[in-house]
Amino acid sequence: MLENFVNSTDSGNAGPLLKTFRRLPLEIARGEGVYVWDVEGKRYLDFYAGHAVASTGHCHPRVVEAVQDQAAKLIFYSNVAGLRLRDEAAALLVRSAPEGFPQALFANSGAEANENALKMARRHTGRTDVVAMHGGFHGRTAGAMSVTGVEKYRAQSAPLLPGVTLVPFGDLAAAEAAVTGRTAGVILEPIQSMAGVKTAPPEYFRGLRNLCDRAGALLIYDEVQTGIGRTGTMFFAGRHGVRPDLITLAKGIASGVPLSAVLVRDFIAGKVGYGEYGATFGAGPVAMAAMKATLETIAEERLLDNVNRTSSVAIERLKGVRGVREVRGLGFLLGLKVDADAGALQAELLRRGAIVGTADEPGVIRLLPPLTLKPAHVESLADILSASMGAVS
Ligand SMILES: Cc1ncc(COP(=O)(O)O)c(C=O)c1O
């Protein structure tokens, strides 16, 4: 959410790019680790990671080498041919998942992963309806948007798919009333990121699991943001003893090379036949090389430990900054509720050399840094934040 920035190159829609996101007043030249540099050579501490994507940091040498090597060998061949790298990389991903997810489907974006998960839920159950959450964001394609609970985006995409009931996130009674014998699945972001980094107590997730089991519906975790280590565990799935049936992943999965995945429970995977799912570019060689290098880096550099350690430091330190009312979230998916206009604060932070996100909830700054971020970087952010807060309030 960068809505509050004036798009400096947005003069009357003159350029070749159709409008998408409003741009930061930042023309980026290169990145390394937790830093990026603009074209004038100014360095920025990146607490946004390009929408939570640069999981191993910008241009991690291992990822760069893997991509370069693979590009020199074979840039692309589709799933119609076998490829050892594809099998090895996929095996690494499913090994990092909770027990009972033996297979993964690969696609290219978070929205596409969610489309496939919704289709799987419908095909597997033979039902049509889906329960989703107000405030949840699942992507901009027709199905993903139909389960997105943000009115401003829904209104742009009408008419949406029928059979979707939106309920308040965290309200188990509302979910219970919405789930019926026609419900194929319940989809949610276990931490609603864009909504303002909101989560729910453990009983809520356990309750949803029981509800789905009783109704014969599938539980779908959209882990496009929470997955691949961002919350300090490889996945949110497994937390509170709850295992969903489908997990969707994208963003940080390949450190920035476009790739997404659906992790599929055994009892669903066993019923899938040839030709039901697929995408030309899904599981492409370069993307799989990047994913393999990403997963190996997370394991070998013990980045989950780093996220947990550094996140605790961040929560304590940032709570103490004047003007920060609350620090929410888990690991490196943090929301700061601030006594300031979030857009103005974001702009001031950028001017002083730190990139952060805002949220749909007013007054919330989001931090989604690379998993390699260290306490010293938190210290720098705290200083920049204190100074910026003084300047905008
Ligand atoms: C939780 C969540 N799901 C899905 C998506 C859609 O992902 P993509 O933009 O790769 O289609 C996003 C994107 O921000 C997201 O945050």
Side-chain angles (χ1 to χ4, degrees):
M1 288 291 299
L2 307 169
E3 255 79 338
N4 294 299
F5 280 100
V6 176
N7 185 347
S8 52
T9 58
D10 192 14
S11 49
N13 200 19
L17 290 173
L18 191 76
K19 289 174 182 168
T20 55
F21 302 106
R22 281 192 193 276
R23 288 189 193 150
L24 294 163
L26 165 67
E27 196 172 348
I28 210 153
R30 68 185 182 91
E32 189 182 319
V34 297
Y35 295 103
V36 294
W37 283 261
D38 69 13
V39 287
E40 265 123 42
K42 179 176 167 185
R43 190 178 78 164
Y44 298 83
L45 193 44
D46 189 5
F47 276 79
Y48 194 61
H51 278 330
V53 168
S55 50
T56 53
H58 295 283
C59 299
H60 191 289
R62 186 169 190 149
V63 177
V64 171
E65 193 186 340
V67 166
Q68 284 175 337
D69 283 357
Q70 186 55 45
K73 262 190 237 149
L74 178 71
I75 292 181
F76 189 74
Y77 212 92
S78 71
N79 282 285
V80 78
L83 181 73
R84 192 167 304 160
L85 163 72
R86 183 180 283 134
D87 294 338
E88 287 169 3
L92 208 51
L93 180 68
V94 298
R95 268 210 304 277
S96 70
E99 181 89 19
F101 288 88
Q103 291 186 323
L105 170 75
F106 291 94
N108 308 285
S109 68
E112 201 185 349
N114 285 327
E115 292 287 341
N116 279 295
L118 293 169
K119 175 175 163 182
M120 267 181 221
R122 291 191 170 116
R123 283 186 67 78
H124 182 80
T125 60
R127 301 174 180 181
T128 51
D129 293 2
V130 176
V131 173
M133 308 296 157
H134 285 296
F137 185 84
H138 301 291
R140 293 165 192 273
T141 52
M145 181 49 64
S146 300
V147 295
T148 286
V150 184
E151 199 40 51
K152 66 179 178 187
Y153 299 128
R154 292 175 67 82
Q156 297 162 354
S157 310
L160 295 164
L161 299 188
V164 176
T165 306
L166 291 172
V167 295
F169 179 57
D171 183 340
L172 194 56
E176 197 152 10
V179 172
T180 70
R182 286 191 310 277
T183 306
V186 174
I187 185 167
L188 70 155
E189 286 176 88
I191 299 179
Q192 290 191 331
S193 178
M194 238 168 55
V197 190
K198 294 177 177 162
T199 191
E203 312 82 70
Y204 178 66
F205 297 98
R206 292 187 199 122
L208 286 181
R209 179 68 275 177
N210 290 335
L211 199 53
C212 286
D213 288 343
R214 282 206 310 273
L218 301 186
L219 181 60
I220 308 169
Y221 276 8
D222 174 341
E223 296 223 43
V224 165
Q225 292 220 13
T226 55
I228 314 292
R230 182 152 296 283
T231 71
T233 50
M234 204 55 192
F235 304 101
F236 192 96
R239 275 186 191 271
H240 316 314
V242 175
R243 179 171 53 165
D245 302 309
L246 296 163
I247 302 170
T248 59
L249 303 166
K251 298 218 187 266
I253 191 170
S255 294
V257 179
L259 182 70
S260 67
V262 186
L263 289 171
V264 184
R265 278 291 303 276
D266 33 19
F267 66 93
I268 305 168
K271 290 196 181 161
V272 171
Y274 287 114
E276 287 182 59
Y277 301 95
T280 299
F281 288 118
V286 175
M288 294 307 263
M291 182 184 83
K292 184 166 178 276
T294 298
L295 298 175
E296 286 167 350
T297 300
I298 290 172
E300 282 172 27
E301 296 187 9
R302 305 181 69 82
L303 293 183
L304 299 183
D305 290 345
N306 179 63
V307 170
N308 288 313
R309 211 172 326 110
T310 309
S311 174
S312 306
V313 172
I315 291 167
E316 273 317 299
R317 180 68 179 88
L318 298 173
K319 264 199 306 209
V321 172
R322 200 169 47 83
V324 174
R325 238 189 286 160
E326 183 191 341
V327 182
R328 327 168 164 150
L330 269 178
F332 282 175
L333 177 46
L334 296 177
L336 312 186
K337 182 83 182 165
V338 293
D339 289 324
D341 177 89
L345 184 60
Q346 183 192 39
E348 187 61 27
L349 282 160
L350 186 74
R351 216 174 58 73
R352 293 172 186 264
I355 309 176
V356 301
T358 57
D360 282 337
E361 183 183 331
V364 173
I365 288 289
R366 275 187 308 156
L367 307 180
L368 316 151
L371 310 185
T372 51
L373 188 96
K374 295 289 184 296
H377 304 123
V378 170
E379 202 49 50
S380 303
L381 177 73
D383 291 343
I384 299 172
L385 187 60
S386 293
S388 301
M389 203 75 86
V392 297
S393 50

